Amino acid sequence: MSVQEPPAKPRFTTGLVYDTLMLKHQCTCGNTNSHPEHAGRIQSIWSRLQETGLRGKCECIRGRKATLEELQTVHSETHALLYGTNPLNRQKLDSSLTSVFVRLPCGGVGVSVSLMCK
């Protein structure tokens, strides 16, 4: 009769996904001073995780493209089709839905608050 060893405790409890493609995230205007989401923010977080040793305590998970369904768990269908998919999918958008998007003073695209409140 053999004695079974208890199952090994998993080494990692937190996973991190990082890909250099994330560094392409930015507003079309390119002004990182007025937009909180940009490549420098992502790179800064990753560097800090490495400096503090937290990166080594997490499992590094390979990145992949999100599915349309996954994008829609945190974004509206309009936003997901407009920004998160192939430009051909944008043809699926009703023209009335795209009217809530406006050109920002910086040159990027944003949501018209006045249209959203009507």
Side-chain angles (χ1 to χ4, degrees), residues 21-103:
L21 287 174
M22 294 175 177
L23 300 178
K24 292 185 176 186
H25 185 86
Q26 67 177 3
C27 180
T28 54
C29 76
N31 182 350
T32 61
N33 294 324
S34 60
H35 300 285
E37 294 296 333
H38 58 85
R41 178 180 172 274
I42 295 167
Q43 191 161 22
S44 176
I45 292 168
W46 188 252
S47 294
R48 189 72 177 137
L49 287 169
Q50 289 178 316
E51 290 167 9
T52 61
L54 288 174
R55 169 30 207 111
K57 295 178 181 179
C58 299
E59 182 177 3
C60 211
I61 301 169
R62 174 174 280 184
R64 63 170 175 76
K65 289 184 178 183
T67 66
L68 186 57
E69 292 76 24
E70 289 168 334
L71 291 172
Q72 289 177 1
T73 63
V74 292
H75 295 292
S76 69
E77 179 182 15
T78 302
H79 185 90
L81 288 172
L82 192 60
Y83 296 108
T85 65
N86 182 309
L88 295 176
N89 285 330
R90 294 176 190 156
Q91 295 172 358
K92 295 178 184 177
L93 292 173
D94 181 313
S95 61
S96 65
L97 294 175
T98 57
S99 66
V100 298
F101 296 98
V102 295
R103 180 72 55 191

